[in-house]
Amino acid sequence: MERIAIVTGASKGIGREIAKQLAKNKIKVIANYNQSEKEALELKKELEQENITIEIMKADVSKREQVKKMVQNVLGKYKKINILVNNAGISEYKMFRDETDEDWNRVINTNLYSAFAMTQEVIPNMVQNQEGCIINISSIWGLTGASLEVLYSISKAGMNGMTKALAKELGPSNIRVNAIAPGAIDTDMNANLTKKEWNQLQEETPLGKIGMPEDIAKCVKWLVEDNFTTGQIISINGGWVIT
Ligand code: NAP
């Protein structure tokens, strides 16, 4: 039977690659986007050339009513959701003392509240079906903390806490909840890094390479197929950070 997956923030970077890999694995993907409609349409087209059909769905996942509407749309059409990947996120570099309440709301709502709202809307259906797989895309900064990225680190640490606690609460309903905590991955989010900084990162990484979206998508694919892993924060970073 066809499985249904929602991937948030699938227009670009890591989410886009996750959407591709799942779709190529015979999973019906609903690829969420917010601002990048052109990129989302390109993804749909690209997959259509391989005879794979995905749906793209616009929603700002930091807003409850838009999350609710998207999930209701998916359930109205497909009746179930087997997989949820909470990937949408933004970064921000600022001195902690300069952060405002607006910054707090933007970063926390986009990175953490979105996962809270998406998961809440999706789990009644998963509980009813006694089956589900939730994957949160966190960050190594949620484990170790990053200077100039305190709000981002808080949002990802919150996501890690949510992953562990929810895994315990939802395990008896056969719903697995895991997080992937990537190191630096080559996407638009890191467009501010210079060539020199990338080279330095590569040198500091035991595996001697830079992470690509595919490295994260492979792990998502594995977690979707697995059935005995839950409550784990899987850090994929080439050995850059070993906790
Ligand atoms: P990216 O290339 O900047 O893509 C971010 C994606 O999130 C875009 O598709 C964007 O969609 C979506 N998004 C942002 N705000 C949204 C909102 N309110 N509603 C719906 N979608 C929204 O970044 P990325 O590197 O792929 O990051 C993906 C995830 O991985 C993030 O959670 C990030 O924190 C995490 N991560 C990244 C790295 C890294 O080094 N790149 C490392 C660790 C963790 P639109 O453009 O359509 O709005």
Side-chain angles (χ1 to χ4, degrees):
M1 237 206 305
E2 188 177 50
R3 287 171 294 173
I4 312 296
I6 301 182
V7 182
T8 70
S11 50
K12 288 167 38 183
I14 295 172
R16 184 187 185 89
E17 192 57 36
I18 293 171
K20 265 198 219 174
Q21 291 303 322
L22 294 184
K24 285 181 185 183
N25 220 25
K26 296 190 167 40
I27 292 169
K28 170 63 74 182
V29 170
I30 289 81
N32 157 257
Y33 68 97
N34 185 29
Q35 292 176 12
S36 306
E37 183 167 38
K38 185 172 148 273
E39 285 82 352
L41 281 165
E42 278 167 8
L43 170 67
K44 188 172 159 63
K45 255 200 192 150
E46 185 186 323
L47 286 166
E48 272 167 5
Q49 277 160 9
E50 296 181 46
N51 290 323
I52 297 168
T53 314
I54 64 160
E55 286 221 25
I56 56 168
M57 234 175 245
K58 179 175 164 62
D60 177 346
V61 291
S62 68
K63 305 254 163 45
R64 171 73 71 165
E65 64 289 3
Q66 295 193 31
V67 163
K68 210 185 246 293
K69 205 168 145 201
M70 175 165 69
V71 172
Q72 279 171 357
N73 261 344
V74 176
L75 286 176
K77 193 158 180 190
Y78 298 101
K79 312 291 173 227
K80 61 174 185 177
I81 295 165
N82 307 85
I83 300 151
L84 168 64
V85 185
N86 287 312
N87 163 80
I90 53 170
S91 60
E92 197 192 50
Y93 303 86
K94 231 184 199 184
M95 293 283 282
F96 181 66
R97 65 174 180 219
D98 296 331
E99 299 283 10
T100 62
D101 285 359
E102 287 70 34
D103 294 329
W104 170 276
N105 288 337
R106 192 178 56 257
V107 175
I108 302 298
N109 288 347
T110 307
N111 293 2
L112 182 57
Y113 174 81
S114 61
F116 163 69
M118 281 297 305
T119 305
Q120 269 196 335
E121 295 301 327
V122 157
I123 52 173
N125 179 267
M126 288 183 173
V127 170
Q128 195 183 353
N129 296 333
Q130 290 290 289
E131 192 254 317
C133 173
I134 298 169
I135 301 169
N136 294 321
I137 306 301
S138 170
S139 163
I140 46 161
W141 299 145
L143 295 167
T144 66
S147 169
L148 295 175
E149 291 190 81
V150 175
L151 294 187
Y152 183 81
S153 302
I154 292 171
S155 71
K156 297 302 187 179
M159 207 175 210
N160 292 346
M162 176 177 146
T163 301
K164 293 177 187 179
L166 206 52
K168 291 183 180 174
E169 193 169 313
L170 295 178
S173 300
N174 191 32
I175 299 168
R176 292 174 298 109
V177 188
N178 292 287
I180 298 175
I185 306 294
D186 189 3
T187 69
D188 285 0
M189 188 171 270
N190 291 318
N192 60 319
L193 291 182
T194 61
K195 179 117 183 51
K196 197 174 156 207
E197 286 167 324
W198 279 117
N199 287 341
Q200 203 178 332
L201 262 173
Q202 193 167 342
E203 272 170 31
E204 288 168 5
T205 302
L207 287 180
K209 51 189 177 187
I210 295 298
M212 300 304 288
E214 293 80 356
D215 296 313
I216 309 306
K218 271 187 211 160
C219 185
V220 169
K221 218 170 110 183
W222 177 78
L223 277 172
V224 162
E225 299 309 332
D226 173 78
N227 56 24
F228 199 50
T229 305
T230 198
Q232 302 306 309
I233 316 296
I234 303 170
S235 194
I236 299 183
N237 61 58
W240 188 41
V241 170
I242 299 177
T243 51

